Amino acid sequence: QPDTLIRRIFDKAFNQGNFAAVEELLAPDSIAHITTWGQPNNRTGLKQLIAMFRTAFPDLHCTVEDEIRVGDQFAAHWTMRGTHKGSFLGNPPTGRPVKVQGIIFARISNDRIVEDWTLIDQFGILQQLGLVPPPAGH
């Protein structure tokens, strides 16, 4: 698979915890639209989000399943896996594994991300950790 910008973000920053990669791959004034986690909408917020997930799920591994790039925009579908071994949103470790989907849509300029929208299946995480009940009939 080609070593694309989005794959580098997930491999270096999310999977390896290399925060220098965030500085390298996102423009200094980039805008990161991260919904509902409370982080600032910039590179610092993305680093905080990654740190939160890597603390809660030390074996965090994200895989890009598919991506599309057209001009200066790209979209990708990715899967996040990990084992809940650290505090997550104030909840103590459960030892449970999680596997959830995420989607990112971004704009690129000069081979750096200048704006992105990231969605993660937060409810799916909470269900798999047993913190909210599963849907009826499951």
Side-chain angles (χ1 to χ4, degrees):
Q1 298 200 355
D3 181 32
T4 60
L5 182 63
I6 189 61
R7 289 179 196 277
R8 290 199 303 273
I9 285 277
F10 282 112
D11 288 341
K12 292 182 177 181
F14 281 83
N15 296 345
Q16 298 170 28
N18 177 354
F19 293 124
V22 174
E23 305 283 332
E24 170 193 338
L25 301 170
L26 275 73
D29 58 350
S30 66
I31 301 168
H33 302 277
I34 305 166
T35 59
T36 73
W37 299 98
Q39 286 85 4
N41 289 338
N42 55 29
R43 293 193 306 191
T44 299
L46 180 59
K47 288 187 276 190
Q48 289 174 1
L49 179 80
I50 294 167
M52 178 186 77
F53 276 112
R54 288 185 56 81
T55 296
F57 307 96
D59 59 347
L60 183 73
H61 189 79
C62 298
T63 306
V64 176
E65 305 295 349
D66 199 9
E67 67 178 295
I68 299 167
R69 180 166 178 181
V70 179
D72 68 345
Q73 298 179 318
F74 73 77
H77 160 227
W78 51 283
T79 303
M80 182 178 81
R81 295 172 176 86
T83 309
H84 186 209
K85 295 184 176 178
S87 178
F88 180 66
L89 301 177
N91 295 285
T94 62
R96 292 185 177 197
V98 296
K99 177 183 174 186
V100 295
Q101 305 301 303
I103 291 181
I104 183 170
F105 182 88
R107 284 190 311 109
I108 302 167
S109 178
N110 296 321
D111 289 326
R112 293 175 108 182
I113 294 173
V114 292
E115 189 169 18
D116 71 90
W117 293 260
T118 303
L119 293 173
I120 301 169
D121 180 9
Q122 304 168 48
F123 198 66
I125 295 171
L126 296 175
Q127 283 183 329
Q128 291 174 46
L129 295 181
L131 301 173
V132 296
H138 284 78

